[in-house]
Amino acid sequence: MLTLFRTFNLRYLAKHKLRTATIIFGVALGVMIVVSIMLLNQSILRSYRSLVDTVAGKATLQVVPNTDSGLPESIAGEVASVKGVKAAIPVVHKDTFVFIKDKQSGALFVYGIDPKKDVAARDYEFAKGRQIKPGEFGAIVVTESWAKEKGLKVDNHIKLTGVEGIKEFRIVGLLANKGPGLANAGLFALVDINTSRALFNRGGKVDQVDVVLISNEKSKTIQSHIKAKLNGRAEVEIPATRGAEIQKSLDSMAFYLDLAAMLAVFVGAFIIFNNLEMSVEERRFGISTLRALGLNRKKIFSLVVTEAVLLGIIGAFLGVILGSLLARAMSEAVAGYLITELRLKITDVGLTTQVLIIGLLMGPTIAAAAAIGPATRMLKVAPLEALKPFETAWRPVGSTLKLIASVLVLLIGVGMLLVLFFVPGFTDKISKNTPQLTNYLLVSIFFAFLGMVLLMPYILAITIKRSNSRSFVLRLALDNLRRVPGRTAATITGMMIALAMMITIVGMVDSWKYYVDDVFDKSLGWDILVQTGFFSGSANVPLNEGFGKELAKIEGVQHVEARNFPFIKFRGYNIQMDIFEMDKFFDISYLEPKDGKYDQMVKDLKAGGSVAVSAMFAKKFGYKKGDILKLDTPTGKARLKIVGVINDAGVDNGFIYIDRRDYKRYWKDNSVDAFAVKAGKDYSVSTVSKKIKDRWEKSYGIKIRENKEFRNEIMSMLDQQFALTNMIIYVAILVAGFGIMNSALINILQRKRELSVIRALGAKRRQIKNLILSESVITGFIGAAFGGIIGIGLGAIIVVGQGMIVDVPIKYLIPWMAIIGSFIIALSLTAIGSVIPARVALKREIVEGISYE
Amino acid sequence: MANKVEVKDVFKTYKRGKTGFHALNGISLSIKEGEFLAVMGPSGSGKSTLLHLIGALDKPTSGDVLIDGTFLSSLSDDALSQIRREKVGFIFQQFNLLPTLTARENILLPLKIAGKSSRENEKYANEIIEAVGLTNFSDHLPEEMSGGQMQRVGIARALAIRPSIILADEPTGNLDSKTSEEILKLLKDCQEKFKQTIIMVTHDAKAAAYGDRIIRLKDGQVDEEVEVYGANLISNL
Ligand SMILES: Nc1ncnc2c1ncn2[C@@H]1O[C@H](COP(=O)(O)OP(=O)(O)OP(=O)(O)O)[C@@H](O)[C@H]1O
Ligand SMILES: [Mg+2]
């Protein structure tokens, strides 16, 4: 067997280096994408955990508010009084902006600690300098690694953004590279707790209480005791398990990544399949001879599969290596998104054993799966069949049974999608659980694609007719594509799926952008937004209400209104609250109630004690107008009446709109995330915004966004979410283009005789080039055409369906630009891809092809 | 009469192991316009190789081939294509039909390649199809035809463009004696009617007798050359 393998397989593989390389590459593609996505996902979780863990130190429990509002200082005492608690350590923390020598220099996660109490939770080790002293104002400890990066030493000064403007600090110590010194990738600093209270408008408050237990006490038991005592005013968490919440936020992003990964595996599998098929084809002679010599079917089957597995293993190694590199690139690509959406910085994207094993197993598995078809075909080679000198003209497409099976698979996929989106009860049930929904979607899309793939040969046989074209070039090109429908289909499919994905995603993003922009157009109302950071970004240091009064004094400012956008934890989900001064809000802005009763809603919201919720929120959590929404707050339960359900732009979990007075009453927080400003009629927006900027930019570090800029930022945030997915899709398109080229190459090797004859009959170089070019371009064109149809169909189903799930009146926009683009991409990739095969064909001597080998 | 084809001291060397192998070993030949030359010789003596060189399908290792006084070595790739499509009709030993085209389409292919599929040319092609006895098979694919039928398609294809030189590599190798005779007569007709120059490789002495002259190759050289005056002479060869 081994000698057989050596002569029959290895020699062939060594001889056909390009073929062999392509199969390995196909495996590597699939493995690479899957590995990189898993690594990215894991590293996000790991980074989050390490942030929580290193900062938590010896604390086994943490008491945190369910929003950004902070908790009353007294809560630390309450927690300390619970039996079994050894120490309850208060912390005030915030992400803020840093200025070095008056230039903004990124952000820092600033921990305000009580140095005396904090030793119970954390061991600080200093590389240089010392810990801050209790009550010491203007002193800060930073990590050694950060200081090194920024070229700072002990006794240097840095500035931080605070509610009262930018404040200066002197570095008194550098944390060594261990424990807390590693927190948040080194973007971590310590100040005195009261300093940070003043800095971040946290007077009388804490953001977190770290709980150290008396040894032998079970953390779960004490957790429930503290929970009982606080009765919903704060969350009690075990730091080590806090990854779960970030996982939830990752779920929505994960869907598109998984989809892209599925696509990559698909495309990879097709490349493998196509090439194995080819190599089997090329060895028909050898096989039939082996059969004639008495080798049984089983042996032949295992020869082919073994070969595939061997290549799969090599490809898997390559894929794991490339995947680790890609994960790195992807983490760069999503860095912005993660910081704004998840408030997280990825620290390391190293390879884990788990991912390594999965990657290494996956390679041979895909390869073996892709080899089953070709290997089975190999079995059908009769002992004498391949000795026949003549290649048959038309390969049969397949049996009726296969056709029926293919149609069924397609119908299952499309049917599952339709059921999901258009059977109301089912939709509601499944859309409550995000992972379940995404898995269902992935499975149905998988079936839809698979069905398309299986049907493709039949579709081709019907669409590519035996033409009577005057041009022999076109005629021969079409003949050749029709001749082996299975191969052509496999080639087209790669391109089709890649482009379909692109068009689907672009269609979705465009539709949402259009919808969101439309909502903003109607509802925003303000001209200028004044804040220190990004809209809902990590480092947005709040301002105080007094700042608003100063703003109102600026000439040309007609309207100033405080807004907050904290997240609240509600039934395990992070929900954004929009805190508005309702009595002023509606002077300039607008919310569209689902039932159209605008005036009544406005009146009810102005009255207070009420909320509006977005349609998504209402649907997801089962609320309707008139219900009472109960929210946990630091002062106990808030019971607020839902007076409106809003058509809003939110996708994930929806929004809650609350009046600022209610927010202050229940959450005891009077800081302001942003001021919405409208300029007077006779003033230009840019003049007013310049005035505000000139006055406070230096001293407060404020950032000013005009309406247009803000909207662009939101749009680019939507784009950012898909940056990764797009990256994967582009890789897949490129690979699909490569697949077409490869298949053209294989084709040329197989049609040695035919091409030689045409040349012997006097065809010029140009005609040969055109023939090969036409074949490739037609393949690309069909791929793009089907890709377009599927992309539009899938995009429309998903957008309309999402609209129904989220309950917003969104319309699907056909992404014409992307469709045109995909044609251009497909045609140019295939045109470029035909250059090498054409060269190979022309380099060959004519006589080589026309005599017997 | 002028020489239609001249072969001047041509070597064709193939690598075989470490040493070279001369498939053609310094061969020289002149073929006059309108001449019918039969080429005989044992298998492996270089007959096909010689035909390939004359048909501009391959290049000699040294020496040169002239067609109508033009050195083939002086021509560009496209000019060589021009010769192949306009001057030379090649009948292959292995038919070399395109499997996806019907008999008729195969026959018309050279016209299409040359961009000369005019009505007049197609009419001529139809005459040829009739002449080679393919009328009833013209819509069949090669895989549906017998060896002899395929051979006839190959012949018709070579004749369809009315080349001034017909290069035939064992055109009757797959045919029964009756059909062989018809085909040979057809070639002879062509020579007489259209003044076409014919070079035909054959193993069959009877077929060779249709030629005006017979050469015998051995080890890549002309071993013997005979002007044909009567059938008796040939049987002695
Ligand atoms: N591409 C090639 N590489 C190596 N040797 C070759 C090649 N083509 C032909 N030969 C050799 O050159 C010699 C002449 O071949 P050619 O095909 O001209 O013979 P032939 O006279 O036509 O024989 P037959 O009557 O069997 O057709 C043979 O020995 C053959 O093995
Ligand atoms: Mg020969």
Side-chain angles (χ1 to χ4, degrees):
Chain A
M1 186 80 190
L2 200 63
T3 17
L4 198 57
F5 189 76
R6 202 174 299 144
T7 52
F8 179 71
N9 300 75
L10 294 186
R11 219 175 264 168
Y12 176 87
L13 295 179
K15 195 173 160 213
H16 296 83
K17 292 191 185 64
L18 187 75
R19 176 88 28 87
T20 311
T22 311
I23 296 176
I24 292 174
F25 193 58
V27 176
L29 171 78
V31 173
M32 168 177 86
I33 303 283
V34 170
V35 162
S36 62
I37 289 174
M38 287 183 72
L39 282 182
L40 184 70
N41 196 42
Q42 287 191 354
S43 79
I44 291 174
L45 286 178
R46 212 169 38 227
S47 304
Y48 184 76
R49 286 222 183 96
S50 101
L51 170 65
V52 173
D53 284 354
T54 48
V55 178
K58 282 170 254 172
T60 35
L61 294 174
Q62 283 178 334
V63 178
V64 292
N66 69 0
T67 71
D68 309 344
S69 66
L71 295 166
E73 200 177 353
S74 59
I75 223 162
E78 285 186 61
V79 172
S81 72
V82 172
K83 219 180 126 221
V85 172
K86 187 169 154 194
I89 302 127
V91 179
V92 171
H93 59 64
K94 190 82 201 163
D95 277 297
T96 188
F97 297 103
V98 187
F99 294 80
I100 299 171
K101 295 200 179 89
D102 286 330
K103 273 180 74 182
Q104 187 166 336
S105 192
L108 272 182
F109 186 45
V110 177
Y111 240 52
I113 56 164
D114 181 339
K116 266 198 228 136
K117 288 187 183 162
D118 212 78
V119 287
R122 280 164 281 267
D123 294 324
Y124 295 101
E125 212 172 294
F126 289 85
K128 284 255 168 61
R130 56 163 176 88
Q131 180 64 289
I132 39 162
K133 292 173 189 150
E136 186 179 17
F137 200 84
I140 191 167
V141 166
V142 297
T143 65
E144 187 189 13
S145 57
W146 184 79
K148 204 168 172 186
E149 191 194 316
K150 302 289 179 189
L152 294 168
K153 293 195 182 69
V154 171
D155 285 339
N156 285 159
H157 287 82
I158 59 173
K159 287 177 180 170
L160 301 180
T161 306
V163 274
E164 305 275 1
I166 296 172
K167 296 281 183 270
E168 192 171 67
F169 288 80
R170 184 172 63 95
I171 299 173
V172 296
L174 301 180
L175 287 175
N177 269 330
K178 53 170 74 163
L182 295 171
N184 202 28
L187 302 176
F188 179 72
L190 298 171
V191 297
D192 174 67
I193 191 162
N194 285 317
T195 302
S196 69
R197 280 186 179 127
L199 195 60
F200 303 127
N201 193 25
R202 283 290 196 258
K205 284 188 172 183
V206 293
D207 285 303
Q208 176 178 310
V209 177
D210 289 339
V211 184
V212 180
L213 304 183
I214 295 168
S215 48
N216 314 336
E217 291 291 351
K218 282 221 173 76
S219 52
K220 285 253 185 241
T221 329
I222 308 292
Q223 181 186 27
S224 62
H225 289 168
I226 300 176
K227 259 190 182 157
K229 175 137 201 171
L230 297 182
N231 189 25
R233 284 176 288 147
E235 310 271 322
V236 185
E237 290 174 344
I238 300 174
T241 61
R242 278 178 63 181
E245 74 194 52
I246 210 90
Q247 183 66 60
K248 227 170 241 172
S249 318
L250 287 178
D251 279 346
S252 64
M253 185 168 87
F255 168 66
Y256 297 104
L257 287 182
D258 290 346
L259 196 61
M262 190 169 89
L263 141 89
V265 173
F266 242 114
V267 173
F270 272 101
I271 291 176
I272 304 166
F273 171 82
N274 206 359
N275 280 279
L276 283 175
E277 181 101 329
M278 254 354 85
S279 72
V280 166
E281 193 72 9
E282 278 175 356
R283 278 177 287 179
R284 278 177 100 81
F285 184 79
I287 297 159
S288 73
T289 313
L290 286 177
R291 297 267 343 250
L293 293 176
L295 200 68
N296 66 24
R297 285 160 179 254
K298 228 191 202 159
K299 280 241 172 70
I300 289 182
F301 190 83
S302 65
L303 273 180
V304 177
V305 175
T306 311
E307 177 180 310
V309 167
L310 183 80
L311 296 178
I313 292 171
I314 300 172
F317 270 104
L318 189 65
V320 169
I321 294 168
L322 291 176
S324 316
L325 295 177
L326 184 63
R328 218 154 287 236
M330 292 196 327
S331 75
E332 301 276 310
V334 284
Y337 171 73
L338 287 176
I339 283 193
T340 47
E341 287 288 296
L342 306 179
R343 299 149 189 237
L344 188 72
K345 188 174 151 61
I346 298 182
T347 45
D348 78 305
V349 265
L351 184 62
T352 61
T353 335
Q354 184 204 1
V355 175
L356 178 72
I357 291 170
I358 291 178
L360 291 187
L361 285 180
M362 200 185 130
T365 314
I366 308 177
I372 289 174
T376 321
R377 298 231 301 146
M378 185 98 110
L379 296 185
K380 291 194 188 134
V381 175
L384 287 174
E385 182 199 313
L387 304 179
K388 210 163 64 174
F390 219 83
E391 232 199 293
T392 42
W394 309 101
R395 190 74 52 71
V397 179
S399 62
T400 325
L401 197 71
K402 220 171 132 191
L403 175 65
I404 294 169
S406 314
V407 173
L408 267 178
V409 172
L410 180 68
L411 287 181
I412 289 175
V414 175
M416 277 175 75
L417 281 175
L418 293 178
V419 165
L420 170 64
F421 290 127
F422 302 107
V423 175
F426 186 71
T427 314
D428 290 350
K429 211 166 151 200
I430 201 162
S431 62
K432 285 216 172 74
N433 181 340
T434 314
Q436 191 180 316
L437 174 69
T438 53
N439 287 340
Y440 182 93
L441 264 174
L442 286 176
V443 169
S444 48
I445 292 174
F446 174 81
F447 274 116
F449 273 153
L450 189 65
M452 258 326 270
V453 169
L454 293 174
L455 263 183
M456 189 53 87
Y458 299 91
I459 296 173
L460 288 181
I462 296 165
T463 46
I464 306 182
K465 284 271 171 264
R466 258 169 83 174
S467 73
N468 252 327
S469 165
R470 286 202 79 82
S471 143
F472 85 98
V473 167
L474 199 60
R475 167 68 199 272
L476 290 180
L478 288 173
D479 274 359
N480 187 50
L481 294 178
R482 238 197 105 205
R483 195 156 144 198
V484 196
R487 181 204 307 163
T488 312
T491 313
I492 289 176
T493 307
M495 186 53 87
M496 173 189 87
I497 295 179
L499 293 177
M501 289 296 305
M502 180 179 102
I503 292 168
T504 305
I505 303 251
V506 174
M508 284 174 43
V509 175
D510 281 0
S511 303
W512 277 106
K513 270 182 168 176
Y514 183 83
Y515 174 74
V516 168
D517 203 47
D518 189 49
V519 168
F520 280 163
D521 200 34
K522 280 193 242 160
S523 64
L524 277 188
W526 46 262
D527 295 327
I528 302 164
L529 197 68
V530 180
Q531 58 185 154
T532 62
F534 189 66
F535 178 47
S536 61
S538 70
N540 181 39
V541 178
L543 296 159
N544 59 30
E545 290 182 333
F547 187 86
K549 296 209 174 75
E550 294 300 314
L551 260 180
K553 287 181 195 158
I554 297 280
E555 191 193 350
V557 170
Q558 182 204 19
H559 173 108
V560 176
E561 178 208 327
R563 295 187 178 184
N564 284 51
F565 316 101
F567 280 89
I568 182 172
K569 193 155 297 151
F570 183 79
R571 296 198 204 157
Y573 290 92
N574 281 322
I575 312 284
Q576 189 179 325
M577 293 201 289
D578 281 355
I579 318 287
F580 298 139
E581 293 182 69
M582 292 296 180
D583 53 344
K584 289 192 199 166
F585 176 82
F586 291 101
D587 294 349
I588 59 167
S589 302
Y590 174 77
L591 292 176
E592 185 181 275
K594 260 205 135 32
D595 61 6
K597 292 179 181 152
Y598 179 75
D599 293 339
Q600 186 59 44
M601 178 186 78
V602 171
K603 223 172 112 194
D604 291 342
L605 282 174
K606 281 183 176 173
S610 55
V611 293
V613 296
S614 70
M616 174 65 197
F617 180 90
K619 182 148 191 193
K620 180 158 188 149
F621 299 106
Y623 286 104
K624 57 183 188 308
K625 193 173 161 182
D627 287 349
I628 299 292
L629 179 66
K630 276 182 238 161
L631 296 174
D632 285 333
T633 79
T635 60
K637 290 243 186 304
R639 302 164 59 80
L640 302 159
K641 188 173 174 194
I642 297 174
V643 297
V645 174
I646 309 296
N647 282 331
D648 205 331
V651 200
D652 276 355
N653 300 316
F655 294 101
I656 303 173
Y657 308 87
I658 301 187
D659 184 27
R660 186 169 180 82
R661 285 166 301 173
D662 288 324
Y663 177 69
K664 276 157 78 172
R665 178 146 66 101
Y666 288 109
W667 278 272
K668 298 288 177 217
D669 181 18
N670 62 359
S671 57
V672 180
D673 282 342
F675 287 100
V677 174
K678 193 161 177 72
K681 258 207 197 92
D682 308 327
Y683 295 88
S684 90
V685 173
S686 55
T687 324
V688 175
S689 75
K690 190 172 179 311
K691 266 188 199 150
I692 298 173
K693 206 167 174 173
D694 289 348
R695 169 98 182 261
W696 284 294
E697 190 180 31
K698 277 261 157 59
S699 54
Y700 273 74
I702 51 162
K703 295 185 183 60
I704 289 173
R705 279 174 188 78
E706 292 180 15
N707 189 310
K708 187 93 206 124
E709 287 171 81
F710 171 80
R711 276 154 73 163
N712 288 343
E713 272 180 65
I714 297 285
M715 293 305 146
S716 71
M717 230 171 84
L718 275 172
D719 282 335
Q720 265 249 331
Q721 282 196 41
F722 291 95
L724 264 194
T725 317
N726 284 337
M727 211 156 120
I728 294 172
I729 288 175
Y730 294 140
V731 171
I733 290 177
L734 213 62
V735 171
F738 182 78
I740 291 187
M741 179 190 98
N742 183 251
S743 165
L745 205 53
I746 289 166
N747 231 309
I748 272 141
L749 299 175
Q750 284 220 313
R751 286 185 306 151
K752 228 176 181 171
R753 178 178 295 270
E754 196 176 311
L755 289 168
S756 291
V757 171
I758 296 166
R759 288 174 73 200
L761 295 178
K764 296 192 172 171
R765 301 181 82 83
R766 176 122 299 279
Q767 288 172 308
I768 299 290
K769 277 185 195 160
N770 283 345
L771 176 63
I772 293 158
L773 177 75
S774 313
E775 283 177 21
S776 289
V777 168
I778 290 169
T779 317
F781 183 86
I782 299 175
F786 279 109
I789 294 169
I790 295 174
I792 292 175
L794 197 60
I797 290 182
I798 292 181
V799 167
V800 173
Q802 277 180 330
M804 294 175 69
I805 289 175
V806 185
D807 205 6
V808 296
I810 182 173
K811 283 197 191 72
Y812 177 67
L813 295 183
I814 297 179
W816 291 115
M817 287 313 285
I819 292 168
I820 294 170
S822 74
F823 271 96
I824 295 174
I825 292 173
L827 298 186
S828 45
L829 271 185
T830 48
I832 295 167
S834 77
V835 171
I836 293 175
R839 195 165 292 168
V840 170
L842 285 169
K843 227 172 98 185
R844 201 163 42 210
E845 301 290 344
I846 297 176
V847 283
E848 236 180 87
I850 53 178
S851 324
Y852 271 127
E853 275 123 48
Chain B
M1 223 187 274
N3 282 337
K4 185 74 185 171
V5 177
E6 272 179 75
V7 177
K8 285 195 162 166
D9 199 22
V10 161
F11 285 82
K12 181 71 189 177
T13 314
Y14 291 111
K15 280 212 182 80
R16 195 172 270 184
K18 277 175 197 152
T19 58
F21 166 79
H22 302 297
L24 291 177
N25 198 0
I27 191 170
S28 293
L29 265 181
S30 300
I31 299 127
K32 290 197 181 63
E33 178 150 14
E35 188 179 356
F36 189 151
L37 176 72
V39 181
M40 297 186 73
S43 184
S45 58
K47 305 181 296 292
S48 295
T49 308
L50 176 66
L51 236 52
H52 292 154
L53 294 181
I54 296 173
L57 298 183
D58 206 356
K59 290 180 174 156
T61 312
S62 72
D64 214 334
V65 175
L66 289 87
I67 288 182
D68 289 333
T70 311
F71 286 92
L72 292 189
S73 64
S74 70
L75 297 179
S76 70
D77 199 86
D78 275 352
L80 289 174
S81 298
Q82 196 79 17
I83 298 238
R84 276 180 234 133
R85 65 163 65 166
E86 282 174 359
K87 296 201 169 163
V88 180
F90 212 112
I91 301 167
F92 298 98
Q93 194 170 0
Q94 281 98 22
F95 326 140
N96 287 326
L97 305 182
L98 297 198
T100 61
L101 303 184
T102 62
R104 198 183 139 73
E105 288 165 339
N106 261 296
I107 293 165
L108 292 176
L109 184 62
L111 289 173
K112 285 208 166 177
I113 290 176
K116 286 186 178 160
S117 40
S118 67
R119 185 159 297 179
E120 189 206 341
N121 286 337
E122 286 192 20
K123 209 179 125 209
Y124 180 73
N126 283 340
E127 281 169 28
I128 303 246
I129 290 173
E130 202 175 334
V132 295
L134 279 172
T135 318
N136 294 332
F137 295 92
S138 66
D139 288 331
H140 285 214
L141 289 172
E143 63 182 323
E144 299 158 348
M145 288 187 268
S146 71
Q149 285 162 344
M150 288 194 271
Q151 183 67 288
R152 278 184 263 178
V153 176
I155 293 164
R157 178 177 65 185
L159 298 179
I161 53 164
R162 274 182 277 189
S164 55
I165 306 168
I166 295 167
L167 302 173
D169 199 346
E170 294 195 38
T172 56
N174 292 283
L175 305 178
D176 60 85
S177 59
K178 186 171 161 277
T179 327
S180 290
E181 219 166 289
E182 281 168 23
I183 294 293
L184 290 166
K185 273 195 184 124
L186 181 71
L187 287 177
K188 195 83 193 164
D189 271 2
C190 288
Q191 180 202 10
E192 280 161 11
K193 247 198 250 169
F194 302 111
K195 299 276 175 299
Q196 283 163 310
T197 308
I198 298 171
I199 305 174
M200 177 179 78
V201 169
T202 181
H203 280 294
D204 178 10
K206 259 193 211 155
Y210 281 83
D212 304 323
R213 182 159 61 120
I214 302 170
I215 60 168
R216 214 181 138 79
L217 294 193
K218 198 181 161 194
D219 301 332
Q221 282 175 320
V222 181
D223 185 44
E224 221 175 322
E225 188 170 335
V226 183
E227 299 283 331
V228 178
Y229 302 109
N232 289 344
L233 247 176
I234 302 148
S235 49
N236 294 338
L237 268 174

